[in-house]
Amino acid sequence: MSLQVSMKERRPTYFEIGLTGRLDTNTYLQLDRTLEMVFENVVRGLQLNLENLEYISSMGLRMVLKAMKLAKASNAPFMVVNMQPQIEAVFKVANALPSQSVFSSVAEADNYFDNIQAKAKGE
Amino acid sequence: MEVYRLFDTMNPKKLDIEIANHESQLETAMQAVEGFLGECGIQQDVAFRVILAVEELVTNSMKYGYDDDNPHTISISVCIQDTVPEEIVLLVQDDGHPFDPQDAPTPDLESAPEDRQIGGLGLHLVKQMSQGLEYERMEPYNRVRVTFRT
């Protein structure tokens, strides 16, 4: 019942956090620490990759909501990618799906981010 | 305190666990319930909901049930009823302050997720992802009974 958290910078200032395993009362601090590390940087986009997330509880949801709040405070788009059905069910019950930014692939999320950046630059 | 797993030889589809009210015990309890549901062939999506309820109810007891430093025992029972469809009954019992989960305030589900006060979702998830939640106070115990259909 563990959680592995990975973090990489997909583009300058655009970060991906990947979760593998279970995000719950026993593991949420790992994501909390990663969020703190990420937001020590300038963040212009944050992607949460849930492809390998098997389980989430209310404590896990709290961390995802915290990530959304941090992204909003940085004026950075927040994207969720590859959500498994059992995880999506929990998000739906909590009405906590980010409305415009749930994607079924990393490429879609990257494209969304790139479009936002291009608009911001007036391209 | 150790986790006690008690087998009911009359009903092999029943698991009883007793844990101390210490957060280090939660993971062990969740693993025991997950293992039991797996042994009984319960579908993963149903097991997911039962384990979620164990986590939320036990966490609530540990966090808010006690204001002393004395050791307390939380009992968790999972029983698979031989009905069609099968029904799983989860019973969580603690000797903490009286608390009826039905009285918990409904969390804010309307504001944009990123604008909400964080918290209060646990019991909401349990209520919405089960077929029913009942509470009774049998001094000095809180007893919460949650049912799930397979």
Side-chain angles (χ1 to χ4, degrees):
Chain A
M1 294 203 166
S2 63
L3 177 73
Q4 282 87 48
V5 185
S6 64
M7 188 261 279
K8 67 179 171 188
E9 198 168 358
R10 299 192 63 75
R11 315 256 197 280
T13 73
Y14 170 32
F15 292 86
E16 174 188 350
I17 295 176
L19 303 179
T20 298
R22 306 169 74 102
L23 182 57
D24 60 19
T25 306
N26 305 303
T27 61
Y28 75 96
L29 283 175
Q30 288 171 250
L31 177 55
D32 201 23
R33 282 192 286 268
T34 303
L35 287 172
E36 282 175 18
M37 270 172 29
V38 167
F39 281 91
E40 283 171 2
N41 304 281
V42 173
V43 178
R44 293 281 173 259
L46 179 63
Q47 178 195 120
L48 199 57
N49 191 333
L50 304 184
E51 182 175 13
N52 297 308
L53 187 67
E54 299 161 4
Y55 174 86
I56 190 167
S57 67
S58 66
M59 192 53 90
L61 273 178
R62 287 171 78 116
M63 280 301 106
V64 176
L65 292 176
K66 181 176 177 179
M68 289 183 195
K69 285 176 185 289
L70 288 168
K72 183 178 181 184
S74 296
N75 203 24
F78 176 83
M79 294 150 273
V80 177
V81 173
N82 292 331
M83 197 179 281
Q84 301 301 311
Q86 72 274 19
I87 305 297
E88 188 171 0
V90 173
F91 272 82
K92 280 184 176 166
V93 169
N95 198 23
L97 285 170
S99 52
Q100 302 291 316
S101 48
V102 179
F103 300 98
S104 56
S105 75
V106 169
E108 278 182 28
D110 287 351
N111 194 36
Y112 176 78
F113 174 77
D114 289 340
N115 284 338
I116 288 178
Q117 292 298 102
K119 278 182 191 164
K121 288 177 185 165
E123 291 174 14
Chain B
M1 186 187 279
E2 294 297 313
V3 171
Y4 294 97
R5 179 172 170 170
L6 312 169
F7 289 96
D8 183 343
T9 51
M10 297 296 288
N11 183 359
K13 289 193 170 182
K14 186 167 188 285
L15 173 74
D16 292 299
I17 310 167
E18 291 184 350
I19 59 170
N21 64 319
H22 191 277
E23 58 187 26
S24 64
Q25 301 282 287
L26 174 64
E27 184 172 4
T28 315
M30 290 168 66
Q31 282 175 339
V33 172
E34 183 169 19
F36 168 72
L37 294 172
E39 286 164 20
C40 294
I42 299 300
Q43 304 144 244
Q44 282 194 338
D45 64 317
V46 181
F48 182 105
R49 291 187 276 127
V50 179
I51 294 160
L52 181 76
V54 171
E55 179 181 343
E56 303 296 352
L57 293 173
V58 173
T59 301
N60 240 39
S61 296
M62 288 177 174
K63 270 190 174 172
Y64 308 115
Y66 304 100
D67 51 19
D68 61 37
D69 294 326
N70 300 329
H72 294 271
T73 299
I74 298 171
S75 304
I76 301 155
S77 164
V78 183
C79 184
I80 301 170
Q81 314 270 18
D82 211 5
T83 54
V84 180
E86 278 180 321
E87 193 172 76
I88 300 173
V89 178
L90 167 68
L91 191 65
V92 176
Q93 175 178 292
D94 66 53
D95 60 349
H97 303 303
F99 175 68
D100 183 348
Q102 319 255 33
D103 294 339
T106 306
D108 174 13
L109 302 174
E110 301 305 320
S111 310
E114 62 272 21
D115 295 330
R116 284 181 204 167
Q117 287 275 80
I118 296 177
L121 287 169
L123 291 173
H124 174 74
L125 293 179
V126 176
K127 290 177 200 167
Q128 296 300 313
M129 300 184 80
S130 67
Q131 266 61 50
L133 183 150
E134 296 165 30
Y135 168 83
E136 64 177 340
R137 179 75 182 177
M138 291 184 67
E139 290 296 345
Y141 300 110
N142 293 301
R143 301 186 75 191
V144 181
R145 184 179 189 273
V146 190
T147 51
F148 304 86
R149 290 211 188 91
T150 60

